[in-house]
Amino acid sequence: MAHPTRRWRGVTPWLFLLAPLVLLITFTYAPIVNMVAYSFTDWDGVSPELHYTGAENYAELFTRSELFEVFFVSGYYLAASVVQIAAALYFATVLSFNVRFRNFFKGVLFFPYLINGVAIGFVFLYFFQDGGTLDAILGLVGYDGDRAWLGTPTSANVSLAGVSVWRYMGLNFVLFLGAIQSIPGELYEAAEIDGANRWQQFRHVIAPGIRPVLSLSVILSVSGSLSVFEIPYIMTGGATGTETFVIQTVKLAFQFNKTGLASAAAVVLLLIILAVTWVQRRLVPDDKVDLV
């Protein structure tokens, strides 16, 4: 018979896990199960009655091309994520070395990520408006002429993607900086003794050392590009060709009362993100990096 003390030692970790597991199941997995169930119904989100419709919602999604055309908007954010990762990696590399005011610049780069997304949307809404802050700044350098930055699909999507770069670069910056600082200092010393310059140190020491974090950042950027919501929703409401797949899904559920169809769209988006993540992990496997 097991000793009581030994028995409690085996149970104690599960007691600590009980509360987070209950919260995870209640607010994550249970809603996902409900969402999948609703995707096979014609529920309008209000009526207590709903009817099973089989795969009718999915058939409608894949037969109405306009429901998938909004994914072209994600291309702007995907391109912006490349700029975002490159800029974050550059600043993280530079500030990992001993430069003046580096703690100040760390705070400046990370600060936008701490601001509420709704507040950022309203701030940049006035920043990009015709005759607004951006036009005033450009006027100081000799550019005279008001422009509706959110008035055409191309300029609006480029502007919104630029806002996302400004906001989320801080997160990638912190991830890269933490990964770079976890590399043993002896490697830098050995590289300097061998005469390696900063670029060679980055190529042969930093880049291999942060490969797992870089892979994670790519996954987050791709999934984020496919599920953009708050910035375009606040700034344009999806108008002027800026509607994303998530904005369209929200409108289907709360504006057109097609909760069943919206649930099917959400399931499709989830499957697309999982598929993209799986392909990325297959193409770039997360091998263990041995630096020492």
Side-chain angles (χ1 to χ4, degrees):
M1 183 175 180
H3 193 274
T5 303
R6 185 177 301 174
R7 187 186 307 120
W8 276 108
R9 285 180 180 176
V11 175
T12 300
W14 293 102
L15 293 177
F16 281 103
L17 288 172
L18 182 61
L21 283 175
V22 169
L23 293 174
L24 182 65
I25 294 173
T26 303
F27 296 103
T28 302
Y29 295 114
I32 290 176
V33 172
N34 286 332
M35 179 183 68
V36 174
Y38 291 144
S39 69
F40 294 100
T41 69
D42 62 352
W43 190 41
D44 59 4
V46 179
S47 174
E49 297 182 359
L50 67 165
H51 303 92
Y52 176 76
T53 59
E56 182 177 325
N57 290 324
Y58 293 96
E60 183 175 356
L61 277 176
F62 288 103
T63 54
R64 291 174 56 184
S65 60
E66 67 271 14
L67 295 179
F68 274 88
E69 288 176 356
V70 292
F71 272 118
F72 289 108
V73 176
S74 299
Y76 290 94
Y77 296 94
L78 190 61
S81 67
V82 175
V83 177
Q84 173 185 299
I85 291 175
L89 183 57
Y90 171 78
F91 287 117
T93 303
V94 172
L95 295 178
S96 65
F97 296 105
N98 189 18
V99 297
R100 297 183 62 184
F101 306 112
R102 64 174 179 175
N103 290 330
F104 169 75
F105 289 114
K106 289 177 184 178
V108 170
L109 291 170
F110 185 66
F111 177 72
Y113 184 71
L114 301 177
I115 306 176
N116 181 271
V118 176
I120 290 177
F122 280 113
V123 168
F124 278 94
L125 180 61
Y126 292 103
F127 181 82
F128 285 115
Q129 72 179 357
D130 189 10
T133 306
L134 180 58
D135 286 334
I137 294 175
L138 293 176
L140 295 177
V141 296
Y143 179 82
D144 188 15
D146 297 339
R147 177 177 179 180
W149 297 97
L150 303 178
T152 63
T154 300
S155 62
N157 282 308
V158 170
S159 300
L160 297 177
V163 175
S164 69
V165 171
W166 180 82
R167 185 191 178 193
Y168 292 107
M169 185 178 66
L171 175 61
N172 287 316
F173 166 74
V174 170
L175 292 175
F176 291 148
L177 185 64
I180 292 173
Q181 291 181 341
S182 67
I183 298 174
E186 294 82 0
L187 296 180
Y188 294 107
E189 296 177 1
E192 291 179 356
I193 293 175
D194 290 338
N197 55 32
R198 295 302 190 194
W199 164 248
Q200 291 171 330
Q201 291 181 31
F202 172 81
R203 179 181 177 184
H204 299 289
V205 178
I206 295 177
I210 66 171
R211 187 170 57 189
V213 177
L214 182 60
S215 177
L216 172 64
S217 181
V218 171
I219 292 175
L220 293 176
S221 297
V222 173
S223 62
S225 300
L226 295 173
S227 57
V228 177
F229 173 68
E230 56 185 6
I231 289 178
Y233 186 78
I234 294 298
M235 294 183 64
T236 65
T240 326
T242 60
E243 186 175 68
T244 63
F245 193 79
V246 178
I247 293 178
Q248 176 181 262
T249 302
V250 170
K251 287 184 176 181
L252 286 174
F254 300 105
Q255 184 175 339
F256 301 107
N257 294 329
K258 295 184 177 181
T259 304
L261 182 60
S263 298
V267 171
V268 170
L269 178 61
L270 175 62
L271 294 176
I272 291 174
I273 292 176
L274 291 176
V276 170
T277 303
W278 181 82
V279 170
Q280 193 273 339
R281 300 290 287 181
R282 295 288 293 179
L283 294 177
V284 186
D286 188 11
D287 297 329
K288 182 178 179 180
V289 179
D290 189 7
L291 293 173
V292 293

